[in-house]
Amino acid sequence: MSATGTADESPRIEAIDRALMLLEELARYGPEGAQLTELSSATGISKATAYRALSTLRLRGFASQSPSGSYRLGPTLPALVDLFYSHQNLTASLRPALVEVSLRAQELVHLGAWDGNEIVYLDKVESAARAIRVWSAVGQRVPAASSALGRALLAARESTPEQVAQYLRFLPAGREVTRDRLTAAVAAAHRRGFSEEFEENEPGVACIGFAIMQGAAPVAALSITSLAERMTPSRIEELRGIVVDALPALLPSGLTLWAGSAA
């Protein structure tokens, strides 16, 4: 028997349950918000009880109220989501996925995310079977325009060609990435669901990248790094299959593998 006296229900705290119902309704109403009467009607909570619950949510920043009296979501909830998907938490939660992909691919695997206008390496897993020398380290930053990680994230962001071209400004001297080459690479990534980079970030090295989504927003990317001579079309397709097969089941709840426009 549960605390509520039934065998098939989990214990429930009414006040918390009502607060969560109100938060769900506030999310549905969006930026314009809703009046107390509307929220009471939608949830079946009395106006007096809803008012007390909303007052408490306001104190904690989960709800806010406009001068007209309408309620909307407050800043605390998005802040909690950002904290949950912070670089540190992503690194810890995605580590098993990197290990599994590296084991199956027998290649070096990186995890990266946006850091300003660059990509920062959050984690890396090296393959004992096919060790290669690359200039990468956790915490190191690389240009978005010349990395598979960055190109995957740009594609998943639905970036326009004009927005993509802006990242050419952040390339260091000697990186021969033209506007046409970059926009074509991002367009191809958008179409296929993964990006490519051949010796544009480091001589003799090639990578393919896959964006990881939280809802409609890309929060990280995974790349597989190999010697350029090994990264043939058939090998790329093999590696893509490994990621598509292995990664989704290993992602934490709330994260998905981006599939591109063909999805």
Side-chain angles (χ1 to χ4, degrees):
M1 296 287 286
S2 72
T4 59
T6 62
D8 58 350
E9 291 185 5
S10 298
R12 183 164 61 100
I13 299 175
E14 292 288 345
I16 295 176
D17 191 41
R18 294 188 190 107
L20 293 174
M21 289 171 64
L22 288 166
L23 286 174
E24 289 176 351
E25 284 304 316
L26 290 175
R28 291 189 184 97
Y29 276 99
E32 293 185 3
Q35 295 291 329
L36 177 61
T37 302
E38 295 174 296
L39 293 169
S40 174
S41 175
T43 59
I45 302 171
S46 70
K47 287 177 64 175
T49 301
Y51 175 76
R52 291 194 298 271
L54 288 165
S55 296
T56 303
L57 291 172
R58 285 180 61 198
L59 287 174
R60 302 293 294 179
F62 284 93
S64 62
Q65 191 173 21
S66 70
S68 67
S70 63
Y71 294 89
R72 60 174 65 91
L73 286 179
T76 298
L77 198 57
L80 288 177
V81 173
D82 289 342
L83 179 61
F84 185 77
Y85 292 112
S86 66
H87 287 179
Q88 181 177 354
N89 287 340
L90 283 172
T91 301
S93 62
L94 291 172
R95 177 73 180 184
L98 266 68
V99 171
E100 180 64 20
V101 171
S102 179
L103 183 64
R104 293 197 190 191
Q106 297 189 345
E107 299 284 5
L108 171 63
V109 177
H110 288 100
L111 177 69
W114 286 109
D115 186 15
N117 293 309
E118 296 178 303
I119 306 301
V120 60
Y121 288 128
L122 302 181
D123 201 1
K124 64 183 291 188
V125 176
E126 299 187 62
S127 169
R130 288 176 173 168
I132 62 172
R133 288 182 174 273
V134 296
W135 189 69
S136 69
V138 174
Q140 176 189 331
R141 288 160 178 77
V142 292
S146 62
S147 64
L149 292 168
R151 290 173 178 181
L153 289 169
L154 284 169
R157 266 186 173 181
E158 304 287 343
S159 303
T160 66
E162 291 73 24
Q163 291 169 331
V164 169
Q166 293 299 313
Y167 288 88
L168 292 169
R169 297 182 298 148
F170 306 104
L171 284 172
R175 299 284 173 89
E176 297 181 359
V177 180
T178 65
R179 175 172 177 146
D180 287 346
R181 169 61 186 147
L182 177 58
T183 54
V186 173
H190 188 273
R191 184 174 64 254
R192 297 181 297 178
F194 69 95
S195 63
E196 294 182 0
E197 172 267 309
F198 283 84
E199 300 188 89
E200 294 164 281
N201 210 47
E202 188 171 349
V205 175
C207 303
I208 57 174
F210 303 81
I212 297 171
M213 311 294 287
Q214 187 269 311
V219 293
L222 176 149
S223 69
I224 299 179
T225 301
S226 182
L227 294 176
E229 63 189 27
R230 288 208 303 257
M231 200 69 90
T232 62
S234 61
R235 178 60 172 160
I236 289 173
E237 182 57 27
E238 179 186 4
L239 294 174
R240 185 200 67 81
I242 288 171
V243 172
V244 170
D245 179 63
L247 195 61
L250 296 170
L251 293 176
S253 177
L255 297 182
T256 58
L257 175 65
W258 185 64
S261 61

